Amino acid sequence: MSDAEHDPVVRRAIDELRKVPPADAATVRRVVAAAAAARVSPADGEPMLGDIEPRRFSVRLWTVAGIAAAAAFVGFGLSSLRHTRSQADRPTVAAAELPPLTPVTSRSTDAAPVSKQFVFNSRTAHRVSVVGDFNGWKSDSAPLKRSLDGDLWSVTIPIMPGRHTYGFMVDDVFVLDPRALKTRDADLGADASVIVVVKP
Amino acid sequence: MKCIVVAAAVVAFAQSAQAQSTLDGIDTDRETAAQLARIVESAKSRGLPTDPIVAQVRHGALIHVAPARLVAAAQAVARRLDQSREALGADAPLGDIAAGQDALSIKGVTGQMLRDIRATQPNVSVAVPIGVVAQLVASGVQPGPAAETVRRLMLGHATNSQLVGLGNDVNHDVAAGAGAMSSFLTRLEMLRPVLAPVGASSSATLTAPITTSGKPRP
C-alpha cells in the first residue's frame, strides 16, 4: 500500500469507487432474459458427436453474438449506474427501450424437440429398441446400440417436451425401463415407464 | 348429383385407405382393423390429431391386448382428444392437445384444470405444465391442489425445469415409500419464492415483477 493510500481522504475515495453500484432488479432480469433468449441451443439439446449439421456453426455464432451483446449490455448498464453516483440527474437505461419481460418458457423453446438418451442393461439381449408415444410405439424406429463391453445399450433420440410413456422391446418382449418410474395405462390395463421431458 | 355421390365415395375411400395405412403393421384381425380405421378417420375428419390414437393402438398391439380392449382404448383416446381440444381451445398446438388427452386419462384430472392452465399462458405451449399435473396426480397427489399449485407456479414464472423437478422429486419420494401429499408439500417449500399468492390471476401477476417473497409487487 502506498503512502497516498493511507490518506483518509484518498482511502475514502478508494472505498467509494470499489463499492458495487446498486443494480436495478428489473434491468438485471431483462438482461438475463435477453441472454436466455440468445442462448438458442442448450447443451443437452445439441446433436451428438458425428451428427453435426452445417447450420450448427451459424447457431453458435448467433449464440456467441447474443451472449457478447448481453455482456456488453450488462457492462453498459453497470457503467451507467456507476456514473449516476456523481450525476444523479442523469437517467439510466430507459426501460421503454428494453424488450418486455417474458416468462422463461416460450413457444419457440418448447416447440423444439430435446435430445434424450435411453439406456438399457443386458448382456444376453440380441435386439433392443425403445418404444413410446414419442415414436408411435414403433419397435423399429429407435434401436439401441450395444456398447463395446456388451452390457449397455443406448440410443439418443429427439423428443418433444412433455410427459411421455414408453418401454423397451427386448428381443420382441416389452420391458419397462428399470431406471424410470412407471405409470398405469387405464385404457390398456398395462404399465409403462414414464418420463417428463423439458428443455434444459 | 351422381358426380357428387361418386366424389364423396372416392374421398371416403381415400380417407379410409389412409387411415388403414397409418395402422399398417398392427397385428389384429380384419374387423378390429376396420373399427380402428373408422375411429382414426372420424377423429381426422373432426380435425383432431390422430397420432395419439394410432400410438395407443400400436402400444396395445405391442403388448397383445385383446381386440375389444384395443378398440375401446382407441375410442377413449379419441374422446379425450375432443375434451382436451375443447378445454385448451381449437387453436392450441397439437402437442398441447395430445398432452391434455394424456392428462385426462389420469383419474381426477379434469377439463377445467386444463382450461385454467391454458388461461395462465394462453400464447405459450402448456404441454409441460399439463404433463407435470398428470405426473403429480398419477403419483397420488390430490388433483385439485396439484393443478392449482402448478397454475400458481406458472403465474410466478417458475420455469418448466422447476415444474418437472417438482414432479420428479415427488415421484421419487413416493417410489421410496413417502406419502404423496406429504412429499408434495415438502418439495414445494423449495419453490415458495416463485409461488404466486392464492387467488392470483394471470393478467395481474404476469405483468408484475416477482419479489423474493414470492409475491408480485403492487
Side-chain angles (χ1 to χ4, degrees):
Chain A
M1 198 181 278
S2 68
D3 288 340
E5 285 176 75
H6 286 297
D7 186 310
V9 177
V10 174
R11 185 75 241 162
R12 194 172 163 194
I14 289 171
D15 288 342
E16 280 298 306
L17 288 169
R18 277 182 178 162
K19 279 181 188 170
V20 178
D24 175 50
T27 305
V28 170
R29 268 198 301 276
R30 287 192 179 95
V31 170
V32 170
R39 189 172 173 269
V40 295
S41 181
D44 202 20
E46 287 180 1
M48 299 295 288
L49 285 175
D51 191 24
I52 298 170
E53 296 168 10
R55 202 179 158 194
R56 183 188 167 104
F57 182 63
S58 63
V59 169
R60 278 276 166 83
L61 268 180
W62 280 112
T63 307
V64 171
I67 291 169
F73 188 67
V74 170
F76 176 73
L78 290 177
S79 168
S80 298
L81 287 169
R82 191 180 286 268
H83 279 295
T84 55
R85 296 188 72 78
S86 57
Q87 302 172 23
D89 294 338
R90 194 168 175 179
T92 56
V93 180
E97 292 170 16
L98 296 167
L101 183 65
T102 54
V104 176
T105 54
S106 73
R107 191 185 293 277
S108 60
T109 54
D110 280 352
V114 177
S115 289
K116 205 76 202 170
Q117 186 181 37
F118 292 89
V119 176
F120 187 79
N121 278 64
S122 176
R123 181 168 287 275
T124 56
H126 296 97
R127 226 170 38 249
V128 181
S129 62
V130 63
V131 288
D133 55 17
F134 42 77
N135 64 7
W137 295 88
K138 289 181 186 167
S139 55
D140 56 352
S141 97
L144 276 68
K145 278 187 185 167
R146 192 194 281 267
S147 64
L148 289 177
D149 70 359
D151 261 357
L152 216 55
W153 299 70
S154 72
V155 67
T156 301
I157 53 174
I159 300 180
M160 295 301 286
R163 179 178 182 269
H164 299 281
T165 51
Y166 71 100
F168 293 111
M169 287 303 287
V170 182
D171 295 335
D172 296 328
V173 176
F174 183 73
V175 176
L176 296 181
D177 184 351
R179 289 177 168 80
L181 295 152
K182 67 177 181 182
T183 187
R184 185 81 178 162
D185 187 315
D187 295 337
L188 299 173
D191 288 336
S193 298
V194 64
I195 185 174
V196 182
V197 175
V198 64
K199 196 91 178 172
Chain B
M1 185 65 186
K2 259 185 185 175
C3 287
I4 294 171
V5 172
V6 170
V10 168
V11 168
F13 177 77
Q15 283 180 340
S16 174
Q18 204 176 355
Q20 192 66 61
S21 72
T22 58
L23 295 165
D24 276 353
I26 295 171
D27 186 20
T28 184
D29 61 88
R30 185 177 285 188
E31 191 186 334
T32 304
Q35 288 183 62
L36 294 171
R38 277 198 292 276
I39 294 167
V40 172
E41 277 169 48
S42 170
K44 194 172 185 179
S45 68
R46 297 200 304 280
L48 293 170
T50 55
D51 285 352
I53 304 172
V54 176
Q56 183 74 322
V57 170
R58 283 191 191 281
H59 181 195
L62 210 63
I63 55 176
H64 309 295
V65 164
R69 185 155 203 168
L70 205 54
V71 171
Q75 285 170 334
V77 172
R79 193 169 51 247
R80 289 194 300 264
L81 283 168
D82 262 326
Q83 293 170 350
S84 174
R85 184 175 61 177
E86 191 188 331
L88 298 172
D91 59 341
L94 294 184
D96 285 17
I97 293 173
Q101 181 282 133
D102 174 60
L104 289 169
S105 74
I106 293 160
K107 195 178 176 186
V109 178
T110 64
Q112 186 59 48
M113 290 173 186
L114 302 187
R115 211 167 281 125
D116 291 343
I117 285 175
R118 182 70 176 160
T120 304
Q121 289 184 348
N123 300 314
V124 171
S125 170
V126 288
V128 170
I130 287 174
V132 171
V133 171
Q135 186 188 24
L136 288 169
V137 177
S139 298
V141 177
Q142 289 169 18
E148 175 59 12
T149 300
V150 168
R151 191 188 74 85
R152 283 173 56 199
L153 287 170
M154 291 166 72
L155 288 172
H157 292 187
T159 64
N160 280 346
S161 292
Q162 286 174 312
L163 296 178
V164 171
L166 172 67
N168 285 341
D169 287 343
V170 171
N171 242 327
H172 285 114
D173 288 346
V174 171
M181 279 308 286
S182 167
S183 162
F184 177 60
L185 295 173
T186 304
R187 295 293 188 172
L188 196 55
E189 284 302 318
M190 286 290 289
L191 294 173
R192 286 262 176 238
V194 285
L195 188 66
V198 177
S201 71
S202 55
S203 57
T205 314
L206 281 177
T207 52
I210 302 300
T211 63
T212 51
S213 69
K215 292 180 179 174
R217 283 184 199 143

